[in-house]
Amino acid sequence: LDIRISENKSIPMNEIKKLYVIEWYGPYDTIEELYQDDATTDGSIYLITGKERYERGCEHIKYVGITKRDPAVRLNERDHREKQAKILRKKYWVGRFSKSSNKNNRAHAELIESLFIRFLYLQEVRIINDKKLKRAPNSPLTVLNRWILKCADCHRVNKPSRLTDLPDVLLFDGEEYWGSDKLKFLNVE
């Protein structure tokens, strides 16, 4: 992450008034697999990972999207299948707002989509959807990403490598991005 530090080693920060916890289920190899998992029906954010034909290296995030409907239905629509056609080795991830976030509405999903797309763009991740690249989110916010095994309500111990471009904690203070990755399991009992 590109973080500027002033001469006195402190950076003034705007107050963070919005905090979201997103529970990510996946990876799903096919859209049909999504239809079979009831945990994804109320998801409002989704990621597609993979790579394009000319890309070298490992798979990474290629698409960030939102939907009001079941993500499987949205991903299976003709216009969306055409967008996905250039992605090889696709894996699907469906995110839903944690019940503690209590923010499952379109405006909040769009804010997070904008945050992710702009952040990935600034990190020079080649994603295929180019909407929302130009503007940063309009207010300071923090997103905590929790990675959950598909078809089971169990936390992942390690985030899959194809998701390394998206930090586990992403904070936008209104001007700059801050992130922390590799949240660790701490068994204190």
Side-chain angles (χ1 to χ4, degrees):
L1 299 175
D2 183 25
I3 301 173
R4 291 179 289 175
I5 298 181
S6 64
E7 303 242 346
N8 64 5
K9 304 282 186 204
S10 65
I11 299 173
M13 265 180 116
N14 296 324
E15 182 178 353
I16 304 297
K17 295 182 180 176
K18 296 178 182 174
L19 170 65
Y20 304 95
V21 178
I22 306 295
E23 297 171 337
W24 291 99
Y25 290 83
Y28 297 93
D29 295 322
T30 65
I31 296 170
E32 289 72 32
E33 250 187 287
L34 282 171
Y35 278 114
Q36 296 170 6
D37 191 351
D38 292 336
T40 66
T41 58
D42 61 348
S44 52
I45 302 172
Y46 56 91
L47 302 172
I48 303 172
T49 59
K51 62 196 299 185
E52 291 181 67
R53 195 172 313 276
Y54 57 85
E55 287 183 299
R56 302 224 185 271
C58 64
E59 291 86 12
H60 58 92
I61 297 171
K62 294 301 294 176
Y63 194 93
V64 179
I66 60 174
T67 183
K68 291 181 191 176
R69 298 167 287 161
D70 183 336
V73 173
R74 173 68 182 124
L75 287 163
N76 205 26
E77 289 175 351
R78 181 177 172 197
D79 68 320
H80 212 294
R81 285 195 317 263
E82 289 171 2
K83 292 176 190 175
Q84 299 175 47
K86 57 176 101 174
I87 304 173
L88 304 174
R89 295 189 238 169
K90 289 186 279 283
K91 300 278 186 194
Y92 301 94
W93 307 82
V94 175
R96 67 178 186 192
F97 288 95
S98 170
K99 289 176 178 52
S100 64
S101 287
N102 198 21
K103 306 268 195 251
N104 199 11
N105 71 36
R106 181 73 177 193
H108 296 286
E110 285 195 30
L111 184 64
I112 292 170
E113 179 189 34
S114 295
L115 173 76
F116 287 171
I117 290 173
R118 180 73 178 158
F119 173 77
L120 292 168
Y121 170 74
L122 293 174
Q123 298 301 310
E124 298 181 358
V125 176
R126 294 183 58 119
I127 57 177
I128 62 172
N129 55 330
D130 56 0
K131 291 181 181 176
K132 302 182 181 179
L133 289 178
K134 306 293 186 231
R135 267 191 13 226
N138 56 8
S139 62
L141 69 142
T142 300
V143 177
L144 173 64
N145 294 302
R146 293 177 61 203
W147 305 99
I148 299 171
L149 292 168
K150 66 179 179 182
C151 302
D153 280 327
C154 300
H155 291 275
R156 289 180 168 276
V157 175
N158 294 313
K159 177 172 64 173
S161 62
R162 53 177 63 224
L163 298 167
T164 56
D165 297 319
L166 188 61
D168 289 340
V169 179
L170 182 58
L171 181 148
F172 177 67
D173 68 5
E175 296 176 20
E176 298 180 314
Y177 294 87
W178 300 75
S180 178
D181 215 357
K182 295 291 252 180
L183 293 177
K184 292 189 272 183
F185 173 71
L186 302 173
N187 189 2
V188 294
E189 292 188 38

